[in-house]
Amino acid sequence: MKEKIIYIFWSAVFLITGVGLLTGYINYQEIPDRTILIIEIVASAAFVVTYFLAGTKKWGWLLPAFVFAGMAVDLST
């Protein structure tokens, strides 16, 4: 049951973000770099927490965590 809630949560996050991008409510050019850095750090931490909540055998949750962490490091330099 816990895994279904996790999948529903992340599906809703990506769906809302995608609809926001397609309709123009979210425009990356208007978001300051500092805000994007914070969003990437929070997203990376959220994926690490999801990894531990879903069970440590679900290695797939670490890929987006490392991608967001790498993007945050690249943006901070």
Side-chain angles (χ1 to χ4, degrees):
M1 182 66 182
K2 183 172 36 175
E3 284 187 28
K4 288 184 180 183
I5 293 171
I6 291 170
Y7 289 130
I8 290 170
F9 170 75
W10 283 112
S11 298
V13 167
F14 288 125
L15 182 66
I16 291 169
T17 304
V19 169
L21 286 169
L22 287 173
T23 58
Y25 286 115
I26 300 173
N27 187 356
Y28 282 125
Q29 295 173 347
E30 295 178 2
I31 301 173
D33 287 343
R34 185 90 168 150
T35 304
I36 292 176
L37 176 69
I38 292 169
I39 290 170
E40 290 173 352
I41 291 170
V42 169
S44 179
F47 278 113
V48 170
V49 168
T50 301
Y51 166 70
F52 285 111
L53 287 177
T56 54
K57 295 188 187 324
K58 305 279 184 176
W59 288 88
W61 289 109
L62 290 178
L63 176 66
F66 289 130
V67 168
F68 277 115
M71 289 169 45
V73 167
D74 182 50
L75 190 62
S76 67
T77 58

